[in-house]
Amino acid sequence: MTLVAAPPAPGTLATLRAQFPDAAGYLAACTVGLPTAGTRAAVAADLARRPDVAEYSRAVDASRAHFAHLVGVSPDRVAIGSQTSVQVAMLAASVPDGAEVLVPEHEFSSLVLPFVHAGRGIRVRTAPLARLAEEIRSGTALVAFSLVQSASGEVADLDAIVAAAARFGARTVCDATQAVGWMPVSAASVDALLCHAYKWLCCPRGVAFLTVRAEYARVLVPVQAGWYAGDDPWTSCYGGDADLAGCARRFDVSPAWQAFVGAEPALAAFAAADIAEVHSWTTQLAAAFRSRMNLPEPVRASAIVTWPDADGCDLARLTAAGITASGRNGSARVAFHVFNDAADVDRAAAALGR
């Protein structure tokens, strides 16, 4: 199976924005992204023809290559899946018995629960995200954290966490689901990076990626191996003597074919974009909204804005004004993506009387 795809043709911010012709008032990319025009066309075309397994395989290979490009690794370091929690569970299965796993407070549960319920005496300890690097200690086997926190939009100090983990020999597992698509992300500095692509990458739900360092891959047990993890999936469909792939594909699970058909054009569009330009666009919109709301700027720029809303009144005001937003952990939450603009800032601020 080929893992190489031609790099996407360079695109501009305007080219990427043109993929979203009807996005006014949608401030919920942190919950679920809007489908691109390319996704809509690809899914419609697939439904209009007989199932084409060769095309499904092409879409999977291309999607893998696009994601690899987005996070700066080679495609042979990328495994495909359908849910991040399932991929985390595979990582948890290889944590040593009795080991300590460190996670941030209020971390998204899909990154935490697989370690909590792994058994074998594994201990999960929490610390504030801002102090996570300081909390890594001798005996910490693995640090699992989201690059951008779902509940708050806080961006982790990746460099500090990675440096501290290296001093103590701890593995690093980074969930970049809330980051890839609006900010530059490199998987090269962590042992494993996870991403479900249905949020900021605007893919159909059911398309997830896991990157692993080659050295880390050697100690991971492919407990979820199936036919698609075989060196040649189409000759690995029967029996138990198939050879697993010699790269990260050994951690693949059988793909949700139609989801990848829709994902490939979306991933191609983001891979072709200048993500630094997307980062500037999204964080400037978020900053403008914070200014209207008299909210402080975060230490590291974020496209997600949250503020206390325990009774849900602000979320209700946004909803009444036709704005799609969300509420998490006692706060209202809005997200500014490439398809948003200054009119969305004005619309949301006006709905909140600002």
Side-chain angles (χ1 to χ4, degrees):
M1 177 182 291
T2 179
L3 290 178
V4 179
T12 65
L13 184 68
T15 301
L16 183 56
R17 283 175 50 77
Q19 286 284 326
F20 304 96
D22 183 20
Y26 191 82
L27 299 177
C30 54
T31 302
V32 57
L34 292 175
T36 66
T39 292
R40 294 175 185 272
V43 171
D46 180 64
L47 292 174
R49 62 177 176 248
R50 291 183 178 182
D52 185 342
V53 173
E55 172 58 21
Y56 297 156
S57 295
R58 185 210 65 80
V60 172
D61 287 349
S63 294
R64 190 194 313 266
H66 295 324
F67 183 79
H69 175 81
L70 277 162
V71 298
V73 298
S74 57
D76 62 349
R77 282 187 49 187
V78 180
I80 59 105
S82 58
Q83 304 291 337
T84 55
S85 58
V86 176
Q87 293 172 321
V88 176
M90 188 271 293
L91 301 179
S94 295
V95 173
D97 293 0
E100 176 185 276
V101 174
L102 178 66
V103 301
E105 294 175 349
H106 309 295
E107 179 58 81
F108 195 73
S109 59
S110 291
L111 187 58
V112 178
L113 291 180
F115 296 109
V116 170
H117 295 285
R120 299 182 286 109
I122 292 172
R123 297 164 287 113
V124 176
R125 182 167 62 91
T126 63
L129 180 64
R131 294 182 48 235
L132 197 66
E134 302 168 32
E135 291 290 331
I136 301 171
R137 62 193 184 188
S138 177
T140 302
L142 184 146
V143 186
F145 61 98
S146 289
L147 184 55
V148 178
Q149 287 290 301
S150 171
S152 66
E154 183 179 359
V155 179
D157 188 344
L158 178 63
D159 291 342
I161 294 169
V162 167
R167 286 196 298 272
F168 291 100
R171 297 285 187 189
T172 48
V173 173
C174 177
D175 187 336
T177 297
Q178 292 286 8
V180 183
W182 71 265
M183 67 179 290
V185 175
S186 172
S189 63
V190 295
D191 289 298
L193 182 137
L194 305 130
C195 180
H196 201 310
Y198 75 101
K199 295 181 182 285
W200 297 89
L201 288 169
C202 300
C203 295
R205 187 168 169 85
V207 174
F209 299 97
L210 165 68
T211 76
V212 288
R213 280 181 173 163
E215 181 271 331
Y216 189 28
R218 286 193 286 271
V219 303
L220 294 174
V221 180
V223 293
Q224 293 152 184
W227 72 280
Y228 213 78
D231 187 50
D232 175 5
W234 297 105
T235 62
S236 304
C237 297
Y238 304 102
D241 58 355
D243 292 327
L244 296 186
C247 61
R249 281 202 308 102
R250 70 192 293 109
F251 308 118
D252 278 4
V253 297
S254 181
W257 278 330
Q258 287 78 11
F260 274 90
V261 167
E264 192 276 327
L267 292 165
F270 279 95
D274 181 344
I275 297 299
E277 192 178 10
V278 176
H279 178 265
S280 177
W281 177 270
T282 58
T283 56
Q284 286 180 33
L285 291 173
F289 180 73
R290 288 190 196 93
S291 178
R292 293 281 290 270
M293 293 289 291
N294 293 317
L295 295 170
E297 279 296 304
V299 175
R300 284 167 289 279
S302 178
I304 300 174
V305 183
T306 65
W307 65 96
D309 186 37
D311 57 8
C313 288
D314 280 353
L315 180 58
R317 292 186 185 100
L318 292 168
T319 302
I323 296 165
T324 304
S326 54
R328 293 292 186 275
N329 208 26
S331 295
R333 184 180 68 161
V334 294
F336 295 92
H337 202 4
V338 67
F339 46 68
N340 297 118
D341 57 24
D344 289 310
V345 174
D346 291 339
R347 187 179 292 110
L352 297 168
R354 301 296 180 94

